Each structure stands twice: as C-alpha cells, then as structure tokens.
Amino acid sequence: MALPSSPPLLADDDDSDLPSAPSLLSLPTDSYHRKRQHSDYDSLSSDPLFSDTTEDDEVQDAERPRRKKLVRGRWWEVGKRSAHDFRRRMAKKESLRNADSGVFMGSDASEGSVDSILSSQQRLQELAVEDDVVEENAPVQAVLDAEAYAARIIQMCLDSGKEAIDLSSLALNHLSEATLRPLHQLIKSSFTTFTHPPSEDEFSPLTPSITLILSTNQLTSLPAELFNLSNLTCLSLRSNHLTHLPAAIARLTRLTEFNIAGNGIRYLPWELLDLIHCKGDHRQITARPNPLLQPTDLSGPSPLPRPNYTPAGSEDLSRFADTRETVEKMRVRYREEGCLNLRGELELRLKLGRMLRIQYLQDASRAGTELKLCREELIYLASSSIRYFGVDGTPLRRTHGFPPDTDNWPATMDPTAHAPTSPSTPNRTPSLFELALRSLQGTHNLTDFLHASPTTTATVYGFSPPLATAIHAAATNTAANHGNENCSTCSMHFIVARAEWVEYWFHGFPSQQELSGESVLPFLRRYKMGVSREEPPHVHKRHASGERITLSSPTTELLPA
Amino acid sequence: MAASSDYVTLISSDEFSFIVQRSSACISPAVKRMLDPSNGFLEAKTNTVRFDNINGMVLEKVCEYFYYSEKNENARDVTDLDFPTEMCLELLMAADYLDI
C-alpha cells in the first residue's frame, strides 16, 4: 500500500496551482507563436513551395554590387533599415501567399490557426506601417539630433563650469530658446585643483564671461534668448546663413568680440553703432566679408587731386580757423575744377569729420577733461534717401523724381528728396493705428488666432494685406521674442516703422587716408513717427545718440539743410 | 449749410453724429479728401461724413484721437491714448480705413 518512492499527492495544496498558471496562459499564444515561427521559417527558407518572384529578386539584388549604393544615412541605422525592409518584404509575401491558397498554411492546425495566420499577418503589416512612419520621420530626427547634441555640449559646459561653449560645425539650422536657456545658470568654476589650499588670487567673481561659438552652422535666424545672455563677451556667428541682424544685439553690452563674417548680411542695425563705438574698452567687431551695401562706387583712385592731404597745421585749427569754412572753400574749389562727384563729397566729409575730431580732442585736452578713445575713428559720411511708409506700413507714393533704388540704398545728397508733400500725421503723436496695435499686442495673445502667413490671415478674417502684415509683426515682436523695435531717434518702441534709411559711417584707422569700401559700414535706421518735409527725422539725431555724435562726427551740421 | 464751416459732422453707422472741428478731422487724410471741395464729393457740400462701417463707440474714440493728436502736435513724451481692450481690433480697422 505504502509507496514511499512516489511523491505524496498534494492535490489539496494551494501551491499546485502555480506551475499550471503559465501553461494556461501559454495555450492561446502557443498556436500563434508557432505560426509566427512557422511563417518566419517559411520566409527564411530559400526554397519556397510556390515559386516566389520576390524571393528571386532579392537573391539577384543581393548578388548585384550596386545595391549598396541605395543605402543612405548613418551607418548605425543601415542595419536597422535592412531589417525593416526584410520585415516589410515578408509581409508582402505573406499577403501574396494568402491570396494564393489558405490550404498550405492551415494544414497542421485547428480552426484557430486561420485566425492566427490573419493576426500574424496583421501584426506584420502593422510593423511594416510602423517602420514606414519611422523612416518618414528620419530627417526631422536628424535636425533634433544636431540640436540635442548642442544642448548636450551646453550641459557639459554647465557641469564643468567651462566658459567657452563651442557649438561650431554642428550643421545646426535652428537653435531654440530652450537650448540656450540653461546658459543663464552658468557659473565659472572657482578653482580646479584641490591639491593645495586656494591662494589669494584665486578668489574672483563667479560671473562668467561666456564665449559662444556658433560658427560654420546653417542658422538663418537667431533665438531671442541669445540676446538675453548678458554675460556674453565673445560671440561668433561666422559662416552662417543670416540675412539680417536683430537690433537686440545692442543688449549684449559686455561683448568684446563679435564676428558676423561670411553671412548674407547687407546692412547692420543702427543699434550696433553703440557697440562699435567703444568708449575706451576695445571691441573687435568683424563685419566683413558680407555683401554689405556701399554708398557709391568706391573702387579706383580718389577723384580729389590730393587724396593724401592731411590738415596741415592742425594744431592751430582750434585756435582761429573755422574748419567748416576751410572745407567749404575746398569744396567750392573742387567743384570749379569739376572733380567733385559723390565720392569726392564723401571724402571731403571724411576730412571734415577728422578735422572736427582733432579739434574736439584739442579742446578737450586743453580743458583737462579725460577722454577715452578707441583706435578706430567713427565718422558719419552720408545717408541714403529716406523711404516713407503710411500708417499701416505700406510705402508712400513718391511725389517727384524716380523712385529710389529699392535694393541698393545708394547715398544721396538730399535724403528727403522723396518725402511725401502731404504727410499723413505731421506730428510726434503715435498714430491711432499704432496705438491700437500696441494695445492689441499687450492684451491679447495674438499668435493664438493668427494663421501661418499674413496672406492667409488676411483672407480668413477679411483684413487688408498691410493690416494683416502689421498684426503679424505685432505678434512676433512680443516680449517673449525680441520685443518691439526702438525708434532710432527718440528711442521709443514701435511696431510699424514710418520711415527708414541707411546711413554710411566710416569705421577705420586715422592712418587710412583714402576712403575704401572696406572701411564704410551701412546702418539701417528705422523711424517711428509720422514725418513731414518740414521736419525731417534726422533733426533729432543729436539728442538721440548724444555724446557719440559730438565726439566723432558732426552729423547734423554736415547734412544739407 | 455753409460750404466751409469750422465744424463738420461725422455720422456713425448706428446714426450717432459727432460735430468736430474741421482742422481736427482733417488729420485723417481720408476725411480731408472727402471734405475737400475741389474733389466735388457730396460730403464737401454738406459738411457731413457718413461712415457705414464704423459704429458710434469706435467713432467717438476716433474723434477723441483727433483732438488728442491736434493738442499734442508738438509735445514731447505724450502719454498714450487709453481705450478699452475689446475695442482694439475695431479701432485698428477704423484707423487703417481713415489712414491715421
């Protein structure tokens, strides 16, 4: 009776349920799983029951060497992609086979097997569809990768307290606000070695002097956050695809080195003049090579007979001679000789500017005031003709003469020649249009109900195209972005500019006698108020830029009345 | 009515009429053109301008702006005209129409 060899029956034991649980679960999946394996096996077998053309193609393709050329992308994705292709081809084959006969597949299984075939097929197709989606997203992924990489570099610099952030040659074509934002938290590492106690001179402020190198990328616009990084001292944007520079660049007041060479920039913002005009501290600003505007053709020799003329006896200029009179005399003489073209006029102005500068310096040294000077001179040369705009930003009609060159902004003797005779608002109060737009900007989140482009907004809401453009400008200028532009004469904010013109300034060394294209910088100025012929905008120039004008260039005096 | 009185009447779409100084109203180039006798519009004869697309509330603000603008013509640091936020868009469109 007693059977010691057999284990005791544990039918009443609860533990007996445990081993059975997996088998119960595995039962429904079993056939499915087997089917999967089976189908996999079929597809892998080199010799199918039914002649399968795709399989043959595949073999042939594999034998051909030029098949390799079709593989694009990064090497670590190639393997993945070939797996995707394989799975897709399998799915295709599966459907083909299913269309041919169900008998072959259903030979060894019960009724459930048909379902399992179908489900496995569906699963395969799903997989194939998933793979397709992934492949479509691949380029987007690549863009994110470049930026994610940039973000990682920034994070690494942040962790190690490194002040030089090198994001060059990453093929970045977009830089988002969020990527740059962590740089606000950058703290300079105090001292790196812990082998000795910190000496006296190792105690320095932890405020960093950030060096941000974004050169050799494909940036077309700059994130607004960049201009909030007030600790930026060196910024390189060399070799990008920028076409204009936002005025917000003037907010980076600690900048000592700034490079925008090798972009598509045609003119600089007026605000950059504040940076270029260094008060003692040297700033290195590289603006060339860029397709910058030229006031006039500056190639070839100077038309003036004595280009090397330096104001001889400049020491006593301040004592008795009136510089302006001298230059006026020279001007008259040159005009009689017939060699005073626009370029000659520019050279005369440069001469006058230099003489006035010397005079000013002499006066200052006599008075005993201490002056901070930079090595380069900054002298106003000329303006282009002023372009006027209506309240909603549409260009106003020219009253007389030909319309000025819309693209090249050539320098002219009479910038106000094309002023409209009947100005729409001849006073300094902002237009109602501007006021309403500003209020709209302040109270509503405009981006929520605007469409992608001004033209679609115009058609959807029935706005006129200039109105839609103005609202779009208001939406993009919000505080989160660069903010509204400042009027370059009264430093008040505006959305719709009413006038704009380009000013040409000489920026070079005093030793440079002749005016050349390399030493002239164009600055775009935008003006906010309604303008009239009686009161051209540059009358306010002096109070706007204050000390700079009186020091290095007598702008208002040089302009024609 | 006289051909060129000192005051003109602006009538809104909901029949509110505002009598304002001619010089102020002519800040708007559009109104100025309408009231110019040489252009021969009916408005110039009757000294009355009807705006079918501007309602009374907005037109009142527009008239306020006319006076505000004339008063602050040469003043510096003028405080901005204040208006209710719900009126912004309508004012914007009216300003676009009147070119002010």
Side-chain angles (χ1 to χ4, degrees):
Chain A
M1 231 2 234
L3 293 165
S5 63
S6 69
L9 285 167
L10 295 168
D12 53 339
D13 204 326
D14 291 342
D15 292 343
S16 62
D17 296 354
L18 279 176
S20 68
S23 69
L24 268 174
L25 277 173
S26 69
L27 265 173
T29 54
D30 194 26
S31 65
Y32 170 74
H33 199 63
R34 232 166 49 208
K35 270 307 133 193
R36 277 289 301 276
Q37 278 177 342
H38 187 62
S39 66
D40 280 352
Y41 171 71
D42 275 344
S43 65
L44 282 169
S45 70
S46 58
D47 210 353
L49 189 59
F50 301 100
S51 80
D52 202 340
T53 46
T54 53
E55 191 91 5
D56 294 342
D57 281 349
E58 200 184 323
V59 172
Q60 278 170 8
D61 280 348
E63 279 163 8
R64 270 180 234 150
R66 70 181 157 88
R67 178 74 180 167
K68 259 187 174 176
K69 284 179 192 167
L70 291 176
V71 177
R72 289 214 183 92
R74 285 158 299 201
W75 59 269
W76 63 86
E77 280 180 359
V78 169
K80 231 191 285 175
R81 198 172 304 166
S82 66
H84 298 163
D85 285 348
F86 180 60
R87 239 184 307 181
R88 210 150 28 133
R89 226 173 284 136
M90 258 167 57
K92 205 166 57 177
K93 205 186 300 165
E94 195 79 7
S95 68
L96 269 175
R97 186 167 294 142
N98 202 37
D100 281 347
S101 73
V103 184
F104 164 68
M105 294 301 290
S107 59
D108 64 335
S110 52
E111 296 155 56
S113 68
V114 178
D115 287 359
S116 72
I117 292 165
L118 283 175
S119 69
S120 70
Q121 195 179 321
Q122 272 167 6
R123 173 80 188 124
L124 281 171
Q125 272 165 356
E126 273 168 26
L127 279 172
V129 167
E130 271 170 28
D131 291 345
D132 275 351
V133 171
V134 166
E135 273 169 40
E136 273 165 29
N137 280 349
V140 180
Q141 200 70 34
V143 170
L144 290 176
D145 278 350
E147 212 181 323
Y149 192 61
R152 225 164 58 201
I153 292 176
I154 287 175
Q155 192 56 47
M156 269 160 59
C157 290
L158 218 68
D159 291 344
S160 58
K162 215 171 117 195
E163 289 169 296
I165 296 120
D166 187 358
L167 301 179
S168 61
S169 312
L170 290 183
L172 279 173
N173 49 16
H174 177 256
L175 198 58
S176 69
E177 320 276 323
T179 312
L180 281 181
R181 203 161 288 142
L183 281 181
H184 284 290
Q185 284 124 37
L186 183 65
I187 294 172
K188 199 159 82 176
S189 59
S190 48
F191 53 92
T192 43
T193 52
F194 292 98
T195 48
H196 62 281
S199 65
E200 192 101 345
D201 48 273
E202 263 170 299
F203 290 104
S204 55
L206 296 179
T207 318
S209 304
I210 303 175
T211 298
L212 184 59
I213 298 169
L214 286 165
S215 59
T216 337
N217 282 305
Q218 289 149 20
L219 296 174
T220 49
S221 63
L222 298 170
E225 199 62 39
L226 183 65
F227 305 106
N228 295 333
L229 293 170
S230 50
N231 287 326
L232 217 56
T233 54
C234 173
L235 176 63
S236 174
L237 298 168
R238 186 175 55 83
S239 300
N240 277 293
H241 299 326
L242 301 173
T243 49
H244 77 285
L245 204 58
I249 192 75
R251 273 191 259 158
L252 301 174
T253 45
R254 285 191 60 199
L255 217 56
T256 54
E257 204 177 327
F258 181 51
N259 193 337
I260 48 165
N263 282 291
I265 295 172
R266 305 200 63 212
Y267 43 76
L268 307 168
W270 165 251
E271 288 73 13
L272 191 68
L273 202 60
D274 282 325
L275 278 187
I276 291 179
H277 176 72
C278 50
K279 298 166 193 71
D281 45 345
H282 181 64
R283 281 206 178 94
Q284 193 186 343
I285 293 175
T286 315
R288 285 171 197 281
N290 261 318
L292 291 176
L293 296 166
Q294 293 289 316
T296 179
D297 186 23
L298 290 175
S299 58
S302 165
L304 297 188
R306 280 190 300 159
N308 294 341
Y309 170 79
T310 38
S314 52
E315 307 84 43
D316 49 340
L317 265 177
S318 59
R319 210 169 302 153
F320 59 90
D322 187 353
T323 353
R324 268 179 215 97
E325 234 167 67
T326 324
V327 171
E328 191 53 46
K329 269 183 213 153
M330 282 163 70
R331 183 174 292 155
V332 169
R333 204 176 68 232
Y334 287 143
R335 194 171 288 138
E336 280 164 2
E337 288 171 22
C339 57
L340 192 77
N341 54 7
L342 188 60
R343 180 161 176 214
E345 173 67 28
L346 292 186
E347 301 225 345
L348 266 184
R349 287 186 185 187
L350 174 63
K351 205 164 283 179
L352 174 59
R354 280 182 172 160
M355 283 155 87
L356 285 175
R357 185 171 185 260
I358 292 168
Q359 214 167 10
Y360 174 80
L361 294 181
Q362 283 171 348
D363 282 345
S365 68
R366 202 159 298 148
T369 49
E370 205 166 308
L371 280 179
K372 283 180 175 177
L373 280 179
C374 49
R375 287 181 296 160
E376 287 103 342
E377 289 175 316
L378 202 57
I379 293 170
Y380 168 81
L381 289 178
S383 304
S384 73
S385 65
I386 302 172
R387 255 176 242 175
Y388 297 91
F389 300 97
V391 279
D392 51 1
T394 45
L396 288 183
R397 277 178 304 161
R398 315 290 161 189
T399 45
H400 63 278
F402 56 93
D405 200 339
T406 45
D407 247 8
N408 285 331
W409 303 89
T412 170
M413 288 294 110
D414 183 12
T416 53
H418 299 283
T421 40
S422 57
S424 44
T425 40
N427 50 34
R428 288 204 203 90
T429 50
S431 68
L432 185 62
F433 188 84
E434 174 82 27
L435 285 175
L437 199 56
R438 231 183 286 168
S439 164
L440 202 64
Q441 186 190 40
T443 51
H444 297 273
N445 195 0
L446 285 173
T447 42
D448 282 356
F449 58 90
L450 287 182
H451 292 262
S453 78
T455 41
T456 46
T457 309
T459 47
V460 168
Y461 293 108
F463 293 156
S464 68
L467 178 63
T469 314
I471 296 178
H472 268 268
T476 50
N477 283 358
T478 43
N481 219 319
H482 300 313
N484 284 342
E485 283 183 81
N486 283 335
C487 176
S488 65
T489 57
C490 56
S491 70
M492 281 177 73
H493 293 290
F494 71 94
I495 298 169
V496 181
R498 302 298 299 278
E500 59 180 31
W501 69 97
V502 168
E503 274 185 14
Y504 295 97
W505 288 69
F506 173 81
H507 182 242
F509 296 103
S511 56
Q512 200 175 345
Q513 295 298 338
E514 214 166 314
L515 202 59
S516 64
E518 283 75 46
S519 52
V520 179
L521 293 178
F523 294 96
L524 183 76
R525 293 189 70 170
R526 284 156 71 81
Y527 183 66
K528 169 193 140 213
M529 296 300 184
V531 278
S532 68
R533 205 175 159 71
E534 291 75 42
E535 191 191 29
H538 48 244
V539 169
H540 311 297
K541 216 178 261 174
R542 183 182 281 277
H543 93 90
S545 36
E547 176 260 338
R548 173 180 60 241
I549 302 290
T550 52
L551 174 70
S552 56
S553 100
T555 312
T556 30
E557 289 86 346
L558 280 172
L559 281 163
Chain B
M1 210 178 280
S4 59
S5 75
D6 285 344
Y7 289 87
V8 292
T9 313
L10 309 178
I11 302 176
S12 69
S13 61
D14 42 4
E15 297 296 325
F16 283 96
S17 56
F18 300 89
I19 300 171
V20 293
Q21 274 186 351
R22 177 185 287 272
S23 59
S24 311
C26 284
I27 282 170
S28 158
V31 174
K32 194 179 179 182
R33 273 196 295 278
M34 290 181 203
L35 291 173
D36 191 354
S38 62
N39 287 339
F41 289 124
L42 184 67
E43 280 89 352
K45 273 184 204 151
T46 57
N47 281 325
T48 309
V49 183
R50 287 187 162 271
F51 296 105
D52 291 335
N53 44 6
I54 302 178
N55 67 33
M57 274 165 72
V58 176
L59 193 58
E60 189 183 356
K61 271 288 163 193
V62 168
C63 294
E64 196 182 327
Y65 176 79
F66 283 153
Y67 282 115
Y68 160 87
S69 178
E70 196 182 36
K71 183 181 146 211
N72 296 314
E73 197 171 350
N74 289 312
R76 278 195 190 281
D77 302 329
V78 190
T79 49
D80 285 354
L81 191 68
D82 209 32
F83 36 75
T85 54
E86 66 271 14
M87 217 191 269
C88 291
L89 195 61
E90 286 170 290
L91 263 177
L92 188 69
M93 295 178 82
D96 192 30
Y97 173 72
L98 293 169
D99 215 5
I100 49 173

